Amino acid sequence: MTLDEEDRQRRLPAGRKAQLAAYVAEAGQVTVSALAERFGVSIDTIRRDLDQLSADGVLVRTYGGAVSQATLSRVDRAVDVRLKMEEGEKEKIAVLAASLVKDGSIIMINGGTTTLAVARNLRNHRDLTVVTNSLLVPPALQPSAVRDVYVFGGAVRTLTLATIGPVSFRASDGSELDISCDLALIGVGAVSAAGYTTSNLSEAAMMREMISRSARVAILADSSKFGRRLFAQVSELGGADYLVTDSTPPPDLLDALAENEVELITPETAEGTPEAGPDPQ
């Protein structure tokens, strides 16, 4: 292919998208501005292309650019990468999820960047008991919002800064203390009609146990995770009471959520959002 032919193909939508996908796969991580310059099109055009390729599962959209699926797999979703991904969507989800939390309640939060955003949005709450496996959540909580904060023990995954271990605590005599909470806020890696999944087996087991110990469960996932299925199953769709997300899922997933009586909470449905159950006694 000559340089002129290659240049013409770059400007054809189908050809450009194919070359764009290949370039992102090769580069690993790219910015919108760099892609616009390379392919000779506007920034808005590149954004639309990336959004489509992300929806097709070819790459992962990030704030200001994109990351290849291979790169995301290599870093195993490291915190520094994940914090830059879908920031606006995560903030929308965090605000909605925080509205489910009642003052004086006991909440369980798993490790993740979306749930970390929820912790920051609990600043106007009071008298909360927070239980988590995240090392980032405790310092993100406003002292005025919490009564007690507990962190599960176990091995620390340095890539995610979260512990992996049993969802339990032990008394001084070594006996296990039974725990339960009013609401679990669980961030997952993927949502499909088959249920909620994540990439790490040990994390999936821990998240499943958090769900089992909670009166109500809210699954948190941005729309880039729709229609995907990762390695380890966390729960079937019906294992959650709410799916909190940034936009309406595609029709097949929307139907599956309704069949499993999972309440969808998005910015559009936020008015009249239910609370997480009765006030603790």
Side-chain angles (χ1 to χ4, degrees), residues 18-183:
Q19 288 196 2
L20 192 156
Y23 180 72
V24 174
E26 180 181 354
Q29 187 167 357
V30 294
T31 65
V32 169
S33 58
L35 289 172
E37 181 178 353
R38 177 177 178 83
F39 288 92
V41 295
S42 71
I43 285 177
D44 285 342
T45 296
I46 289 295
R47 284 173 177 157
R48 287 192 293 270
D49 287 352
L50 291 179
D51 287 343
Q52 183 60 57
L53 291 169
S54 177
D56 293 341
V58 175
L59 49 76
V60 176
R61 191 76 163 87
T62 65
Y63 181 77
V67 178
S68 72
Q69 292 284 2
T71 296
L72 196 62
S73 176
R74 284 197 301 271
V75 299
D76 196 21
R77 300 185 304 161
V79 170
D80 58 344
V81 172
R82 295 166 66 196
L83 283 170
K84 299 174 184 176
M85 297 170 56
E86 313 293 347
E87 291 176 294
E89 289 80 357
K90 289 176 182 177
E91 184 62 22
K92 291 177 184 177
I93 293 169
V95 171
L96 296 174
S99 72
L100 292 171
V101 179
K102 281 190 164 187
D103 287 352
S105 63
I106 304 167
I107 61 173
M108 203 173 290
I109 304 177
N110 76 312
T113 52
T114 304
T115 49
L116 178 61
V118 177
R120 296 189 182 115
N121 276 276
L122 295 174
R123 54 187 172 273
N124 294 323
H125 285 69
R126 295 293 180 269
D127 205 30
L128 299 176
T129 297
V130 179
V131 191
T132 184
N133 71 319
S134 171
L135 303 185
L136 298 175
V137 163
L141 295 165
Q142 285 287 337
S144 60
V146 296
R147 176 178 58 197
D148 295 301
V149 180
Y150 299 95
V151 178
F152 295 116
V156 175
R157 294 194 70 210
T158 55
L159 286 173
T160 60
L161 293 178
T163 63
I164 297 295
V167 181
S168 64
F169 297 97
R170 293 193 174 276
S172 57
D173 62 1
S175 61
E176 184 174 321
L177 298 171
D178 186 33
I179 63 170
S180 62
C181 71
D182 301 301
L183 175 68

Side-chain angles (χ1 to χ4, degrees), residues 245-256:
T245 185
D246 58 289
S247 64
T248 303
D252 59 334
L253 180 53
L254 196 61
D255 290 343

